[in-house]
């Protein structure tokens, strides 16, 4: 913090000239920690490439309005479910790619048949493995065939399926890292240095009637800057206009810097404490629901949100984000009550205490895990914490080698509980509970497009998860954005910065 305050004094003197020049040029310069090695949306795990590039350089068939959640026409003007496994899209005519070629059904068929082919090994298979094939019904009509009913299909189509030109990956089906990066989106690639930087400029040939509108920014430049302190120093010195994931302890001093706006914002990424109910060597005390209830009652989520997580976070009481389809508010609750926790442990024969292993999936979560551990220790539950990379966490969970998992999940911005709960409660490698009733309900909810049936199944599953304390929902994860005060920027819970909506104040 001292370093930041010192830098602020120096930065204020150098800020104005450099920063104002960028505003006059109508340019946005932003940075993140991620080194983008392939800029297209399909060979990345990172939001910076999957979503941001995917919506700036490319377009999806339909658009989800970030304010209302409604689906709106984009590259498709209309769509319909023919049956539970068939979607038909009527495409917009007159759309051009950045090289001047026409967009039509051949591009959509190519994109879907490429990304859904497991041999092509796009990075996030769960985003596409429900797709069987695509076929052209005419030059501007496409049929998308599903392996089985997949009710949130339109969420994925609207959020994650950027349309590529036919032949984009070439004869060798290789991910591109430089030339040929063309799309139909409002911005086009000017340059890309793998792992370092990229530069985009507004494409004046963008089609009229796009729900993205006519973007105001003339150019967008990205740099990978691994160190958060360096990012903040650049922002204060006028070398950057926008950053995100500002460390919580730096948000307040950064907000005192002239001409810098700091905005802690809630996201739909939720944290949860997951309980292992499987048989373990030496026994597993978590198989007793009273122990799980005691742990839930022992944690003061309100205090942790206020004192540790910080602004932009709220307590989560359901095992999902409130806007997701199938996420009810009226589920069983276990409010903070340490005396009740002690009583339950005593009933379970653990009055003298118990020791449990806990894994969390990042260094950031270490502080959060320690806060949880402190509350558990106060009622007699000792926790051995290991903060690991997610791959190592997954190995521990799949190998049945931990009692507790402090995790988080952002659902890739998908507003459907299947994007969250079906990852953790359908008897797969990440399922620590192995509850057949929950698994059956979630699978049934994912097997029909009947919204009433889906709501019934998801309501049952979410209530049972809380009732049986298979998870203890904790809090929403905030993202702290910082940017030039002259920049008009709005954040959204899906953790998707929409730069096509950003503009400089007049």
């Amino acid at each position: 913090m001292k370093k930041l305050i010192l830098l602020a004094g120096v930065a204020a003197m150098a800020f104005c000239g450099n920063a104002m020049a960028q505003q006059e040029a109508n340019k946005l310069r932003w940075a993140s920690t991620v080194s983008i090695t392939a800029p297209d949306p399909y060979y990345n795990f990172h939001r910076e490439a999957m979503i941001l590039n995917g919506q700036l350089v490319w377009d999806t068939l339909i658009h989800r309005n970030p304010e209302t959640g409604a689906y709106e026409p984009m590259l498709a003007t209309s769509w319909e479910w023919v049956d539970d496994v068939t979607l038909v899209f009527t495409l917009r005519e007159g759309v051009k790619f950045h090289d001047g070629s026409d967009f039509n059904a051949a591009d959509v068929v190519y994109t879907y048949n490429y990304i859904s082919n497991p041999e092509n090994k796009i990075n996030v298979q769960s985003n596409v493995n429900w797709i069987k094939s695509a076929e052209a019904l005419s030059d501007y009509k496409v049929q998308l065939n599903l392996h089985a009913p997949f009710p949130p299909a339109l969420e994925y189509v609207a959020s994650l399926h950027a349309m590529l030109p036919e032949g984009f990956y070439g004869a060798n089906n290789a991910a591109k890292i430089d030339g040929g990066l063309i799309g139909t989106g409002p911005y086009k690639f000017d340059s890309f240095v793998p792992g370092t930087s990229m530069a985009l400029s507004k494409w004046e040939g963008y089609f009229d009637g796009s729900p993205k509108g006519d973007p105001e920014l003339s150019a967008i430049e990205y740099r990978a800057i691994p160190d958060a302190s360096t990012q903040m120093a650049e922002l204060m010195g006028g070398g950057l206009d926008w950053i995100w994931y500002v460390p919580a302890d730096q948000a307040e001093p950064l907000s005192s810097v002239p001409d810098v706006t700091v905005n802690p914002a809630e996201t739909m990424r939720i944290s949860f404490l997951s309980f292992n109910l499987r048989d373990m060597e030496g026994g597993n005390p978590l198989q007793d629901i009273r122990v799980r209830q005691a742990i839930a009652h022992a944690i003061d989520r309100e205090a942790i949100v206020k004192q540790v997580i910080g602004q932009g976070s709220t307590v989560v009481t359901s095992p999902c984000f409130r806007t997701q389809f199938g996420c009810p508010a009226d589920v069983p609750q276990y409010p903070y009550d340490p005396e009740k926790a002690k009583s339950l442990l005593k009933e379970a024969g653990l009055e003298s205490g118990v020791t449990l292993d806990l894994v969390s999936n990042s260094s950031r979560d270490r502080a959060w895990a320690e806060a949880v551990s402190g509350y558990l220790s106060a009622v007699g539950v000792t926790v051995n914490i290991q903060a690991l990379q997610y791959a190592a966490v997954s190995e521990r969970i799949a190998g049945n080698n931990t009692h507790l998992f402090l995790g988080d999940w952002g659902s890739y911005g998908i507003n459907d509980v299947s994007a969250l709960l079906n990852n953790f409660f359908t008897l797969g490698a990440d399922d620590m509970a192995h509850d057949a009733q929950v698994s059956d309900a979630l699978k049934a909810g994912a097997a029909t497009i009947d919204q009433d049936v889906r709501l019934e199944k998801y309501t049952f599953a979410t209530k049972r998860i809380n009732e049986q304390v298979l998870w203890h929902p904790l809090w929403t994860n905030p993202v702290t954005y910082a940017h030039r005060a002259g920049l008009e920027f709005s954040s959204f819970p899906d953790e998707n910065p929409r730069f096509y909506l950003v503009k400089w104040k007049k």
Side-chain angles (χ1 to χ4, degrees):
M1 184 178 294
K2 289 180 180 178
K3 179 182 178 183
L4 181 58
I5 294 172
L6 179 62
L7 282 170
V10 177
M13 296 183 290
F15 184 87
C16 292
N18 190 7
M20 288 305 296
Q22 302 308 314
Q23 183 167 344
E24 290 171 3
N26 200 23
K27 180 187 296 184
L28 174 70
R29 300 158 304 158
W30 70 288
S32 189
T33 60
V34 171
S35 296
I36 300 174
T37 55
D40 76 81
Y42 296 114
Y43 287 94
N44 294 274
F45 291 107
H46 305 297
R47 283 178 178 265
E48 287 81 351
M50 286 180 65
I51 296 177
L52 270 73
N53 274 2
Q55 69 191 359
L56 293 174
V57 179
W58 293 276
D59 289 315
T60 50
L61 290 181
I62 60 177
H63 177 75
R64 177 159 54 79
N65 187 304
E67 298 283 358
T68 66
Y71 297 130
E72 299 172 343
M74 181 100 84
L75 291 178
T77 57
S78 63
W79 52 91
E80 64 173 331
W81 285 99
V82 176
D83 54 43
D84 279 8
V85 294
T86 311
L87 270 166
V88 171
F89 297 91
T90 299
L91 306 181
R92 187 183 299 269
E93 298 185 34
V95 176
K96 300 282 188 180
F97 283 99
H98 299 154
D99 65 352
S101 60
D102 291 325
F103 164 79
N104 57 36
D107 306 301
V108 179
V109 170
Y110 171 81
T111 299
Y112 274 120
N113 286 340
Y114 181 91
I115 65 177
S116 64
N117 184 347
E119 294 181 2
N120 292 326
K121 298 179 181 178
I122 76 162
N123 277 4
V124 186
Q125 285 292 307
S126 61
N127 290 342
V128 297
N129 60 11
W130 47 273
I131 299 167
K132 181 180 180 181
S133 64
E135 55 188 293
L137 303 181
S138 70
D139 286 348
Y140 290 95
K141 185 166 285 190
V142 171
Q143 179 169 302
L144 188 63
N145 305 306
L146 283 56
H147 288 292
F150 188 69
L154 291 179
E155 276 288 304
Y156 287 80
V157 170
S159 303
L160 296 168
H161 295 167
M163 291 295 106
L164 310 171
E166 184 180 15
F168 180 81
Y169 291 110
N172 296 325
N173 283 345
K176 292 183 180 294
I177 61 170
D178 43 32
L181 292 166
I182 61 170
T184 63
Y187 289 88
K188 59 184 180 66
F189 271 101
D190 288 337
S191 64
F192 174 66
V193 180
T196 302
S197 65
M198 64 182 177
L200 312 177
S201 61
K202 182 178 177 179
W203 186 49
E204 298 300 337
Y206 193 48
F207 66 91
D208 293 334
S210 169
K212 294 177 183 177
D214 182 16
E216 298 245 355
L217 294 172
S218 298
I220 299 173
E221 294 182 356
Y222 172 79
R223 282 191 290 148
I225 302 178
D227 180 65
S229 295
T230 303
Q231 290 184 25
M232 289 185 285
E234 289 253 16
L235 179 66
M236 290 184 291
L240 288 172
D241 305 308
W242 187 98
I243 60 175
W244 61 347
Y245 300 110
V246 174
D249 62 346
Q250 301 289 1
E252 184 176 348
L254 186 59
S255 66
S256 67
V257 176
D259 204 33
V260 169
T261 296
V262 177
N263 175 27
E266 184 182 47
T267 74
M268 62 187 294
R269 180 177 298 275
I270 72 164
S271 286
F272 51 84
L273 192 63
S274 181
F275 297 83
N276 187 359
L277 272 62
R278 296 165 290 181
D279 293 335
M280 300 180 72
E281 186 176 347
N284 181 2
L286 294 181
Q287 290 178 326
D288 188 328
I289 190 173
R290 294 170 296 185
V291 178
R292 305 196 300 275
Q293 291 171 334
I295 289 172
H297 279 302
I299 302 170
D300 189 344
R301 294 173 292 183
E302 293 278 2
I304 293 176
V305 164
K306 183 177 180 180
Q307 299 169 13
V308 181
I309 312 301
Q311 290 184 331
S313 176
T314 59
V315 170
V316 174
T317 56
S318 296
C320 41
F321 188 69
R322 60 183 178 272
T323 64
Q324 290 182 305
F325 178 86
C327 186
D330 58 335
V331 296
Q333 298 297 314
Y334 296 91
Y336 176 56
D337 188 341
E339 295 307 314
K340 178 68 172 177
K342 292 176 184 177
S343 174
L344 286 164
L345 289 171
K346 182 177 180 180
E347 289 179 23
L350 298 174
E351 186 176 10
S352 59
V354 63
T355 299
L356 302 172
D357 294 327
L358 179 149
V359 293
S360 63
N361 64 11
S362 75
S363 57
R364 175 202 64 186
D365 288 357
R366 177 79 193 199
W368 301 0
E370 288 174 349
V372 168
S373 175
Y375 280 106
L376 296 183
S377 178
V379 301
V381 179
T382 300
V383 175
N384 296 323
I385 301 170
Q386 282 193 294
L388 305 169
Q389 294 298 316
Y390 193 75
V393 169
S394 295
E395 287 182 10
R396 294 287 297 274
I397 291 171
N400 196 20
N401 291 319
T402 188
H403 297 98
L404 300 166
F405 168 42
L406 177 60
D408 63 75
W409 195 257
S411 303
Y412 294 102
I414 301 299
N415 253 318
D416 193 285
V417 296
S418 64
L420 170 65
L421 299 182
N422 285 51
N423 287 281
F424 296 100
F425 288 102
T426 52
L427 307 183
D430 292 329
D431 188 346
M432 298 174 70
H434 280 225
D435 186 289
Q437 292 185 56
V438 170
S439 176
D440 288 347
L442 292 174
K443 288 178 179 178
T448 177
I449 61 173
D450 186 315
Q451 297 291 71
D452 292 335
V453 173
R454 297 189 71 224
L455 188 59
E456 174 192 348
K457 297 300 182 182
Y458 290 140
T459 299
F460 172 84
T462 52
K463 287 187 173 181
R464 182 168 174 81
I465 288 168
N466 264 36
E467 180 183 71
Q468 295 297 311
V469 203
L470 308 182
W471 268 10
H472 185 45
L474 297 173
W475 45 72
T476 56
N477 289 206
V479 168
T480 299
Y481 304 91
H483 57 82
R484 295 266 313 286
L487 201 66
E488 292 186 10
F489 168 76
S490 298
S491 61
F492 299 96
D494 61 5
E495 222 170 330
N496 176 7
R498 291 166 170 83
F499 288 150
Y500 57 82
L501 297 177
V502 169
K503 59 183 177 181
W504 290 103
K505 296 176 183 177
K506 303 298 185 185

